[in-house]
Amino acid sequence: MPSPTNPYIIGKPVTGPQFFGRESAVQAIEYILRPPSRTSVIVFGQRKIGKTSFLLHLTKVLKSPFFPIYVDLAGRASQPLAQVLFQMATAAADRAGLDSPSLSDFLHNPDFFHLEFMPALYQTLDEQVQPTFLLDEFESVDTPASQLPDNAAGRLLPDYLHKLLAGPHSLSFVFTAGRRMNELSGVGRTGTYARLNQYLSVLTPAQARRLILKPDGPAYESAALHRIIDVTRGHPYLIQTLCHTIFEDTREHYPAKITVREVKTAVERLLERHDSGLFLIWESIPPA
């Protein structure tokens, strides 16, 4: 008999039917960005809270008149602005069925994105459709902008995108920001002039229970269920990681129901091992 597949997702974004919740955040973003709009939204929250998963979810739920385009900007703050704009154009072209642009066009002409590419994109789309760029890992928190090269996207991209918003066409941006809790006070003080700062918090107890009690997962005693929610405080990454460990620990003997004892054992194992996700969350918490 084949070993059952672990239903808890760790180490990668949660997409498709595995993603649930955040309905109020989606509604707030749809309201702010409704056409004709030329504005932006910043989505912020703790590390590993699910910001990338949320942006990928927006690509599925933002229907016409929105035209969502996901772009991963992680690690690109030091790259030239032209190269990042090329990446954005490539993602948009792929989504719209246009021919892939050439990097040389962007390198030779700093204005190619808004003078050539965006008009071509608008011509391809329905007149009422609004391009909505979902820019993941927009902020560079590891290197201050003052230490970046003069032509780096980390320096120039915010003001460039703000100029695009001041243009004649309906356009919008959604950014993720605030990878460290001690930087959240600075969210919104960017050149993008966001109309909405959408905070992604931990899950409610009801949402946490839904995440734990997967149809293809194990059953839990009530006390064990409450213990998981109490220990993780509803943080989705912590829930997934803890339940993933519990599943692996009990895979061979698969009890009728998970008890508090299995939860306690899994917590101890997690604290003993070097989990990069747990380290990032711990690093993001200020001393207070």
Side-chain angles (χ1 to χ4, degrees):
M1 181 176 178
S3 179
T5 302
N6 197 319
Y8 300 102
I9 301 172
I10 58 173
K12 59 182 180 180
V14 178
T15 59
Q18 296 280 2
F19 186 96
F20 65 88
R22 309 297 193 193
E23 291 87 358
S24 61
V26 172
Q27 291 172 2
I29 289 173
E30 286 181 327
Y31 179 79
I32 290 294
L33 299 183
R34 66 195 185 283
S37 173
R38 290 187 291 274
T39 190
S40 61
V41 170
I42 294 178
V43 176
F44 69 104
Q46 294 182 37
R47 288 192 175 195
K48 312 297 286 186
I49 200 68
K51 297 186 291 293
T52 295
S53 297
F54 181 71
L55 285 194
L56 292 172
H57 180 61
L58 289 180
T59 66
K60 308 296 184 184
V61 299
L62 287 181
K63 305 298 184 182
S64 183
F66 299 104
F67 187 76
I69 305 158
Y70 175 82
V71 187
D72 183 5
L73 295 182
R76 298 185 180 273
S78 61
Q79 291 184 347
L81 175 63
Q83 194 163 339
V84 171
L85 293 176
F86 166 72
Q87 183 190 7
M88 292 172 56
T90 300
D94 182 65
R95 179 90 166 77
L98 291 170
D99 292 335
S100 296
S102 170
L103 176 58
S104 61
D105 290 332
F106 291 80
L107 295 176
H108 293 151
N109 181 6
D111 299 324
F112 186 85
F113 185 85
H114 67 272
L115 292 182
E116 301 290 340
F117 177 77
M118 288 304 294
L121 178 64
Y122 284 116
Q123 189 173 3
T124 300
L125 301 178
D126 183 273
E127 187 175 339
Q128 304 301 319
V129 170
Q130 173 176 293
T132 303
F133 285 90
L134 312 175
L135 304 181
D136 201 8
E137 299 284 359
F138 173 67
E139 286 187 323
S140 172
V141 299
D142 299 317
T143 305
S146 59
Q147 298 180 17
L148 295 173
D150 290 341
N151 67 340
R155 279 179 177 267
L156 305 177
L157 186 60
D159 287 336
Y160 181 88
L161 297 184
H162 180 60
K163 291 177 182 178
L164 286 181
L165 293 177
H169 296 288
S170 180
L171 177 69
S172 55
F173 298 98
V174 179
F175 312 100
T176 59
R179 292 192 294 169
R180 289 180 179 166
M181 291 178 66
N182 62 0
E183 292 173 342
L184 296 186
S185 60
V187 169
R189 294 200 300 267
T190 71
T192 55
Y193 302 97
R195 285 188 61 201
L196 174 67
N197 294 334
Q198 180 62 52
Y199 179 58
L200 292 189
S201 185
V202 295
L203 303 179
T204 66
Q207 292 170 337
R209 283 193 292 271
R210 183 179 170 192
L211 180 58
I212 298 166
L213 299 175
K214 294 182 178 291
D216 51 349
Y220 295 81
E221 290 186 354
S222 178
L225 191 64
H226 287 295
R227 182 59 176 161
I228 293 173
I229 297 173
D230 182 56
V231 168
T232 63
R233 290 297 191 267
H235 194 297
Y237 177 82
L238 297 180
I239 291 175
Q240 295 267 33
T241 303
L242 180 55
C243 289
H244 187 279
T245 303
I246 292 171
F247 188 94
E248 292 300 318
D249 286 348
T250 61
R251 181 189 290 273
E252 298 302 325
H253 52 90
Y254 217 63
K257 285 189 175 183
I258 302 298
T259 68
V260 172
R261 183 176 63 181
E262 279 88 31
V263 176
K264 181 176 182 294
T265 300
V267 169
E268 291 173 350
R269 288 188 63 240
L270 275 176
L271 294 178
E272 290 172 354
R273 78 186 196 200
H274 297 286
D275 182 281
S276 60
L278 294 179
F279 175 78
L280 289 174
I281 294 173
W282 179 260
E283 186 187 41
S284 71
I285 300 173

